[in-house]
Amino acid sequence: QVQLVESGGGLVQTGGSLRLSCAASGRTLSSYTMGWFRQPPEKEREFVVLITGSGGSTYYADSVKGRFTISRDNAKNTVYLQMNSLKPDDTAVYYCAAVKDTVATRASVYEYWGQGTQVTVSS
């Protein structure tokens, strides 16, 4: 079992930045692809970005390319999401998720999920 806990969400103005963290316990993450997903109000959950177990590959949704950066520290069992140039459309609950030995953007593939952290971007 892998337990994931997100933190770092909050309220920020348009153009601001936030850094989300996802701390894992229960297993080491080095063999897990980690993904960030988000669910805007009254919308479906959507893929944001993923990073492979080694950290060697990343894949971003077009909507966040050039603004968001994912990274991981396997020694700390933690994944980060640096979000810059935030827009009101980025307002959502952000979830981190983990899946072993698989690279995927579909939420249904991911085995473990955190509880989510709210990000609100004011205009």
Side-chain angles (χ1 to χ4, degrees):
Q1 288 286 337
V2 176
Q3 292 80 43
L4 303 173
V5 178
E6 302 96 336
S7 61
L11 174 64
V12 65
Q13 291 185 330
T14 297
S17 298
L18 284 174
R19 188 195 197 204
L20 306 184
S21 299
C22 174
S25 60
R27 297 278 174 86
T28 56
L29 290 183
S30 57
S31 60
Y32 286 79
T33 292
M34 300 299 297
W36 284 97
F37 292 79
R38 66 187 182 185
Q39 188 162 13
E42 301 181 0
K43 293 185 179 179
E44 298 287 319
R45 191 171 299 190
E46 63 186 30
F47 168 77
V48 176
V49 60
L50 66 83
I51 187 167
T52 55
S54 64
S57 295
T58 57
Y59 183 77
Y60 292 85
D62 288 343
S63 59
V64 305
K65 275 181 188 175
R67 301 187 298 121
F68 290 13
T69 303
I70 191 171
S71 61
R72 66 190 300 162
D73 185 338
N74 285 341
K76 294 183 178 180
N77 246 19
T78 301
V79 178
Y80 305 97
L81 181 63
Q82 178 67 43
M83 306 186 296
N84 298 328
S85 302
L86 283 161
K87 307 173 183 179
D89 284 348
D90 295 317
T91 294
V93 178
Y94 282 71
Y95 299 90
C96 72
V99 61
K100 196 172 189 299
D101 297 330
T102 302
V103 180
T105 61
R106 286 186 294 121
S108 60
V109 174
Y110 284 75
E111 301 169 276
Y112 303 103
W113 290 83
Q115 83 290 350
T117 185
Q118 176 70 47
V119 171
T120 303
V121 184
S122 63
S123 57

